[in-house]
Amino acid sequence: MPERFYGIRHHGPGSARAVVAALAEQRPDVLLVEGPPEADELVRWVADERLEPPVALLGYATDDPRRAGFWPFAVFSPEWQAIRWAVDNGVPVRFFDLPYAYRLAEPDEQPGEQAEPGEQAEPGEQAEPGEPSGEQPGEQVEPDAQPGAGADRGEQRRRPVDPIGELAVAAGYDDPERWWEDVVEHRGAPAFEAVAEAMAAIREGAPEDPDDLLREAYMRTVLRQTRRGYDNVAVVCGAWHVPALTARVPAGADAALLKGRRKTKVTFTWVPWTYGRLASWQGYAAGVRSPGWYHHLFSAPDEVVTRWLVAAAGVLRDEGVPASSAHVIEAARLAETLATLRGRPLAGLAELTEASEAVLCEGEPLRLELINRRLVVGERLGAVPDDMPAVPLARDLAAQQRSLRLKPEALDRELDLDLRRDTDLARSRLLHRLRLLGVPWGEPTGGRRSTGTFREQWRLRWEPEFAVRLVEASAHGTTVDAAATASVATRAQAAESLAEVTALVEVCLLADLPEAYPPVLRALDTRAALDADVGHLMAAFPALARTLRYGDVRRTELGGLAGVTTGILARVCAALPAAVGGLADPAARTLRDRIDGVQAAVGLLDDGVRDRWLDTLTSVAGRDDLPGLLAGRLTRLLHDAGRLDRDEVRRRMGLPLTVGTAPAEGAAWVE
């Protein structure tokens, strides 16, 4: 039996249903799926019920994880359904796209393993065991790494033409998505032969994409090899590629095109994905505008329109907006009437959106936006098994997430922590450590906070890219604690300013990294000794004082921080008298702010430190060369501290306000 080609649209629910039906009829001996061949060993996980779509194959350069890509799959993706059918029926599955190892090492551009002269890429050749590739079936993700950005999905290569758009225009449609729904999604199984014929007609007059030509040469090479071992072959790939795979191209021509390709070492695994990241408006070229709607089309057994509107009403009711069964009935009638007037076989997303806006939302755009976010795009986050191959750092994080009952979610979640509770304190430390590793799963919101900083408020949102950032961070250690400690120590050693090191001291407190304190304090001591700018020293002091004051609140061992902090204050006290005189207004304002910061900070420490600071302020407050802004401010601080009585303050106030003193000077003193 000759092979059969099933040209599909990536993430098309109609294509997914049709592929499963066609495979059940064909009963192939082997299944070839467009995707990275380095991920063949991961196919078996598809049978594991714990692997819940949306998920993605993550591929990255083993030596540089920032160069990474993803191949996302939803439950309605034809490739996912084809693989599930094959695994359930014991049919071998092979990915047969161009290996990601070649894409990451372009000829004469990237270092890697050079093929021997005359050697061609072996069909289906695996990169090193466990190596990867990175992108959606049929749409390669080109890495565009940004330093420190972690996993960068990069920019998709876009073809010279949009085939679905061309077919929609030919059919008289102004919206390709609406045409696809009418022709495929709402009419059952598509005719694969007709789709392939249409794609061939479009490709005849369209310019060729060099990237596609290279990929298709490799696909044909794999196909030739597969024919030698199997008679009944099924091929699932993007419909665009079918004409090229069925064309008669000499093997020598493909071998010449593939000859001399370089390889780079890559690694692969499954990671959770989200429908938000699957949406085409996120910049994903193979994505769809409405993944939540397509999920509904695939999973709803019947009554598609009614079930959708019931779900929309539920979204509104969850937010306290009244939406009754009468609303649903009238919205369904309106949607079906619109579809009839427009000659559509079934009410599509456009009709349902208009009906929802008019009836359920009563014309309120914010309510419709809520439905779009919750239903049309969807807020679904996939899951992978705990024993999925992963770097030890990712495993440690997963274990902590389970023990602390912090489940990653695709939607924003508010988290209010009371640091007096052991579990909440551990959660806070984990979130701070992850931020140090470039994984900002949680962002502090600066919300409600008690006097002793016993409370913290966070906004949590898990992003798929964090999976690659964990791979990058694993170079620092195998646990979150160890990796964060090593990261802080490295940053402290590389810091070029006192402010950088000071910030790390407070971070060590928040993340509870006692092992990081020695290298950070050494760097702090060194930078403080080399920095002669009293402004820099004063700017560094408040963070150190806060760390000392609130270390007990967070139950953190602070080591020798007290000695370093008092040493910096001693240098400030020694240098301040020389720094306050003869300043211009901008410099005086900056120094005034620095003095205020130190004044607030010393109030957190013991009386001895506070007295030394006030003695210094007293010694300079009466000088004649002080700018009015500083003289007035020091007078206020000393009065509030009980160092000046009312009569002395009245006397000092009279001096800048006497006749003969510039009005600006007097105004600055009063300010």
Side-chain angles (χ1 to χ4, degrees):
M1 178 183 292
E3 64 269 8
R4 292 188 183 180
F5 295 87
Y6 302 115
I8 50 88
R9 182 190 185 187
H10 302 302
H11 314 305
S15 293
R17 285 191 297 267
V19 163
V20 172
L23 291 174
E25 178 183 352
Q26 180 189 356
R27 310 298 298 184
D29 298 328
V30 65
L31 173 65
L32 299 182
V33 178
E34 181 182 336
E38 297 97 331
D40 280 352
E41 293 299 319
L42 295 173
V43 167
R44 63 183 178 85
W45 287 95
V46 175
D48 194 320
E49 295 299 329
R50 296 173 299 168
L51 186 65
E52 301 176 12
V55 292
L57 287 169
L58 162 63
Y60 56 91
T62 306
D63 296 333
D64 184 7
R66 290 176 300 175
R67 299 165 58 209
F70 300 94
W71 285 255
F73 296 86
V75 69
F76 52 82
S77 299
E79 299 90 343
W80 178 265
Q81 289 299 323
I83 294 172
R84 282 296 302 266
W85 180 90
V87 172
D88 291 344
N89 289 274
V91 176
V93 180
R94 293 177 63 184
F95 289 118
F96 77 127
D97 203 347
L98 183 73
Y100 194 48
Y102 294 158
R103 295 185 62 84
L104 282 183
E106 296 296 338
D108 300 322
E109 292 179 1
Q110 300 289 353
E113 179 182 337
Q114 177 67 48
E116 292 298 327
E119 177 188 357
Q120 78 175 62
E122 276 301 305
E125 175 185 357
Q126 295 285 350
E128 300 304 321
E131 283 185 344
S133 178
E135 119 191 0
Q136 173 53 33
E139 296 292 339
Q140 291 286 356
V141 176
E142 288 302 319
D144 182 20
Q146 299 172 357
D152 186 357
R153 294 177 64 238
E155 295 296 325
Q156 302 279 348
R157 291 188 190 223
R158 297 186 181 272
R159 294 195 176 90
V161 296
D162 173 13
I164 293 178
E166 294 287 328
L167 293 173
V169 170
Y173 283 72
D174 58 359
D175 184 354
E177 292 287 331
R178 187 158 56 88
W179 174 82
W180 182 262
E181 282 191 10
D182 286 354
V183 174
V184 177
E185 307 304 341
H186 295 165
R187 294 189 184 275
F192 291 110
E193 295 79 4
V195 172
E197 183 179 347
M199 292 297 165
I202 294 175
R203 291 194 68 159
E204 284 180 2
E208 293 289 1
D209 183 348
D211 183 62
D212 278 343
L213 294 178
L214 184 64
R215 294 171 58 198
E216 289 161 354
Y218 189 86
M219 291 179 186
R220 285 190 296 267
T221 305
V222 176
L223 190 55
R224 293 188 193 100
Q225 184 199 43
T226 305
R227 288 175 183 147
R228 301 188 196 117
Y230 299 93
D231 294 327
N232 188 5
V233 180
V235 178
V236 176
C237 64
W240 178 260
H241 300 296
V242 172
L245 299 184
T246 56
R248 294 184 177 276
V249 179
D254 289 340
L257 191 59
L258 296 169
K259 181 180 178 180
R261 304 296 301 179
R262 290 173 177 262
K263 289 171 55 179
T264 192
K265 188 174 178 60
V266 290
T267 304
F268 256 76
T269 190
W270 287 105
V271 295
W273 202 251
T274 66
Y275 277 175
R277 281 289 187 266
L278 197 63
S280 54
W281 53 265
Q282 292 272 9
Y284 170 45
V288 290
R289 290 187 308 205
S290 48
W293 165 245
Y294 275 9
H295 180 99
H296 177 75
L297 282 179
F298 183 80
S299 58
D302 53 19
E303 300 293 341
V304 173
V305 171
T306 305
R307 291 175 184 272
W308 177 265
L309 292 172
V310 168
V315 168
L316 295 177
R317 284 196 294 267
D318 288 343
E319 296 297 324
V321 178
S324 66
S325 57
H327 285 92
V328 173
I329 293 170
E330 290 304 317
R333 287 175 178 169
L334 177 57
E336 290 167 352
T337 301
L338 289 172
T340 301
L341 291 173
R342 295 168 180 173
R344 305 195 67 182
L346 182 71
L349 182 59
E351 289 74 30
L352 287 169
T353 299
E354 293 175 33
S356 297
E357 182 177 16
V359 180
L360 295 177
C361 302
E362 299 178 345
E364 283 288 340
L366 290 179
R367 297 180 186 177
L368 183 63
E369 182 181 343
L370 180 64
I371 292 175
N372 287 338
R373 187 174 70 250
R374 296 278 181 87
L375 286 184
V376 177
V377 174
E379 295 173 327
R380 189 180 299 266
L381 175 68
V384 299
D386 295 337
D387 51 346
M388 177 67 63
V391 294
L393 178 61
R395 289 185 178 280
D396 179 64
L397 173 59
Q400 293 194 51
Q401 288 170 332
R402 290 192 299 271
S403 66
L404 297 176
R405 298 185 296 281
L406 276 180
K407 182 180 179 181
E409 296 175 340
L411 65 163
D412 287 339
R413 171 191 172 190
E414 298 295 332
L415 182 66
D416 194 15
L417 301 179
D418 184 342
L419 303 183
R420 292 167 294 188
R421 300 174 180 171
D422 291 342
T423 299
D424 281 1
L425 181 60
R427 289 172 172 175
S428 172
R429 289 169 174 171
L430 175 63
L431 294 173
H432 281 294
R433 290 171 182 176
L434 289 174
R435 287 172 58 80
L436 275 172
L437 297 177
V439 182
W441 177 23
E443 292 287 351
T445 61
R448 193 167 73 253
R449 183 175 268 218
S450 66
T451 305
T453 68
F454 281 114
R455 304 194 76 86
E456 282 184 349
Q457 201 168 55
W458 295 78
R459 178 176 293 110
L460 306 185
R461 185 185 182 92
W462 185 263
E463 300 288 355
E465 289 84 353
F466 294 163
V468 177
R469 299 192 185 185
L470 288 172
V471 177
E472 291 182 63
S474 64
H476 294 294
T478 58
T479 66
V480 176
D481 183 4
T485 298
S487 175
V488 168
T490 300
R491 289 163 61 178
Q493 186 176 7
E496 297 181 355
S497 69
L498 181 60
E500 292 179 64
V501 184
T502 305
L504 292 177
V505 173
E506 197 162 21
V507 164
C508 287
L509 165 70
L510 298 173
D512 185 28
L513 301 174
E515 298 298 323
Y517 270 111
V520 171
L521 292 182
R522 285 195 298 270
L524 179 64
D525 208 15
T526 301
R527 294 299 172 195
L530 296 176
D531 199 329
D533 190 323
V534 67
H536 293 170
L537 297 173
M538 295 174 75
F541 183 78
L544 302 178
R546 287 194 300 270
T547 304
L548 282 174
R549 172 63 180 83
Y550 297 125
D552 289 341
V553 173
R554 304 185 67 94
R555 302 175 229 171
T556 304
E557 294 294 333
L558 301 178
L561 181 60
V564 175
T565 304
T566 55
I568 288 180
L569 182 64
R571 295 190 62 202
V572 168
C573 292
L576 187 61
V580 297
L583 297 177
D585 285 347
R589 288 186 181 278
T590 299
L591 187 58
R592 186 271 314 272
D593 293 341
R594 301 286 192 225
I595 290 174
D596 283 349
V598 175
Q599 174 69 16
V602 296
L604 302 174
L605 305 179
D606 60 58
D607 292 341
V609 173
R610 183 170 180 268
D611 289 343
R612 182 171 188 174
W613 167 248
L614 292 176
D615 289 344
T616 302
L617 297 187
T618 302
S619 68
V620 300
R623 285 171 37 178
D624 295 335
D625 60 343
L626 284 184
L629 196 65
L630 289 181
R633 187 59 181 158
L634 294 180
T635 300
R636 171 61 184 268
L637 294 179
L638 292 173
H639 172 262
D640 290 349
R643 292 295 186 100
L644 294 178
D645 58 24
R646 295 172 63 87
D647 291 338
E648 178 60 18
V649 171
R650 185 181 297 110
R651 184 190 72 80
R652 293 192 181 193
M653 184 175 182
L655 297 177
L657 298 182
T658 57
V659 176
T661 301
E665 182 72 9
W669 197 98
V670 172
E671 179 188 345

